[in-house]
Amino acid sequence: MTGLGLRPYTAGDDPAPASVPVSVIVLTLDEEMNIRRCLDSVAWADQVVVIDSGSADGTAAIAYGWGADVVEQPWLGFSAQREFALRLPLLRHDWVYFVDADEWVCPQLASEIAGWLPAPGCAAFSQRFRLVFQGTWIRHCGWYGGSWIVRLVDRRYTKFDGSPVGERACVDGPVQRLRHDIVDEDRKDLAAWLHKHVRYAELEAARRGEQAGRPGKRRAPRSRGDSRPMIRSVLKEVVFPAIPARPAALFGYMYIVRLGLLDGRAGLRFCFFHAWYEVCVNALHARAAAAERETI
């Protein structure tokens, strides 16, 4: 586990192995480079379940060898795969913690979770998402401040919203905030990151195409049980779609307005690649719309 630039998220004393009454779920596909670090960081959980969607590398073998429960499930989609995992009969606990394979849980966060779960007083917990990109913690760019995500949930009161990309937990009950962050630090190279985001762009383009096919039914910025911060919902679903020249506007917003320039070279690349992602989404959406017109 790395601690470079992530203080206080360095090595320390985790809760005792298998001592915390929670089922950790890790969704995987070809995560051989990341999976062992992820699993080692959640060894304090009473149960760890890996849902593998057909890895061609050593991901499943590593998980088996580590001692996780491994379930093979072909990919259903980001939201549907998590919903499938929530309803697994083999889960020993109603409290479920989703941790992605390229993420790790610091001892401080593990201890905080262990302290809350005996009497949580809520239906879910949100936490900030601390992204490490090309060895740099992205503190700015508008990324970290509004990065609250719900991952620790009571499955009796939670479902996923069905989104093809950017899936969200919908919680029927109060959501409290954890003080410590989960860390996303993918060990795979930049090419893998770019390929992943091309796939995300395809899914986002398809989502926008569905919205365009339903005039007057723009996606609501926030629905009942939505776990996103309100300001982030409004910016993404209402303000941003109405802005002209979105890729350039997005870069300027992230790099200048939200001070991505303070994240150095990694911040510049991070902002540029997010603008590039928006270009990809627009191009894919336009091509799909043109193809549909040709068939009419």
Side-chain angles (χ1 to χ4, degrees):
M1 189 179 299
T2 178
L4 182 63
L6 294 173
R7 295 187 181 90
Y9 299 123
T10 55
D13 295 324
D14 292 297
S19 65
V20 181
V22 63
S23 295
V24 170
I25 294 176
V26 184
L27 306 184
T28 60
L29 175 64
D30 296 333
E31 291 288 354
E32 185 175 31
M33 294 186 67
N34 292 311
I35 187 63
R36 189 178 300 278
R37 180 190 60 187
C38 174
L39 296 177
D40 287 345
S41 78
V42 296
W44 42 268
D46 178 59
Q47 183 183 30
V48 178
V49 181
V50 170
I51 312 294
D52 189 74
S53 54
S55 293
D57 62 5
T59 300
I62 292 171
Y64 276 117
W66 187 88
D69 295 321
V70 180
V71 176
E72 299 287 345
Q73 172 59 48
W75 187 245
L76 301 170
F78 288 99
S79 187
Q81 195 82 348
R82 293 187 188 273
E83 186 67 24
F84 166 83
L86 269 185
R87 310 306 163 200
L88 278 173
L90 66 80
L91 296 184
R92 295 201 291 263
H93 302 282
D94 287 322
W95 278 96
V96 171
Y97 189 28
F98 284 98
V99 180
D100 287 350
D102 57 1
E103 298 170 348
W104 53 269
V105 177
C106 68
Q108 293 89 340
L109 176 56
S111 296
E112 186 179 6
I113 292 171
W116 272 110
L117 284 188
C122 62
F125 290 90
S126 66
Q127 60 192 136
R128 276 189 171 141
F129 182 78
R130 186 175 292 212
L131 175 68
V132 179
F133 179 72
Q134 295 193 307
T136 299
W137 170 24
I138 302 297
R139 293 174 172 85
H140 305 96
C141 305
W143 194 258
Y144 177 68
S147 67
W148 292 96
I149 54 173
V150 171
R151 292 286 192 80
L152 180 59
V153 301
D154 186 330
R155 63 178 179 151
R156 294 170 297 181
Y157 307 108
T158 304
K159 63 180 180 179
F160 282 88
D161 66 350
S163 300
V165 65
E167 73 283 358
R168 299 186 301 275
C170 298
V171 181
D172 185 14
V175 178
Q176 297 205 48
R177 287 183 170 183
L178 298 170
R179 291 186 299 111
H180 296 98
D181 308 336
I182 192 166
V183 181
D184 183 317
E185 189 176 12
D186 197 342
R187 287 174 164 169
K188 289 178 283 189
D189 60 16
L190 180 60
W193 190 92
L194 293 172
H195 281 297
K196 177 172 67 175
H197 281 77
V198 168
R199 178 58 182 150
Y200 291 167
E202 291 174 334
L203 294 171
E204 177 63 16
R207 184 181 76 86
R208 292 185 190 179
E210 290 178 2
Q211 287 184 342
R214 293 178 292 171
K217 293 192 70 176
R218 181 183 295 274
R219 189 176 180 179
R222 191 176 176 89
S223 58
R224 184 177 183 273
D226 194 335
S227 54
R228 291 178 301 176
M230 173 61 80
I231 186 63
R232 194 175 185 124
S233 303
V234 172
L235 286 173
K236 182 176 180 180
E237 303 297 344
V238 178
V239 177
F240 184 64
I243 295 175
R246 286 196 294 264
L250 180 62
F251 178 84
Y253 174 77
M254 293 178 67
Y255 192 66
I256 305 298
V257 178
R258 300 309 300 269
L259 301 178
L261 56 91
L262 297 181
D263 289 322
R265 182 178 297 179
L268 174 62
R269 290 175 176 171
F270 187 74
C271 296
F272 172 80
F273 286 134
H274 274 76
W276 163 83
Y277 168 82
E278 186 62 27
V279 170
C280 291
V281 173
N282 290 342
L284 290 165
H285 183 204
R287 181 67 192 95
E292 185 174 346
R293 288 194 297 270
E294 290 171 1
T295 61
I296 297 175

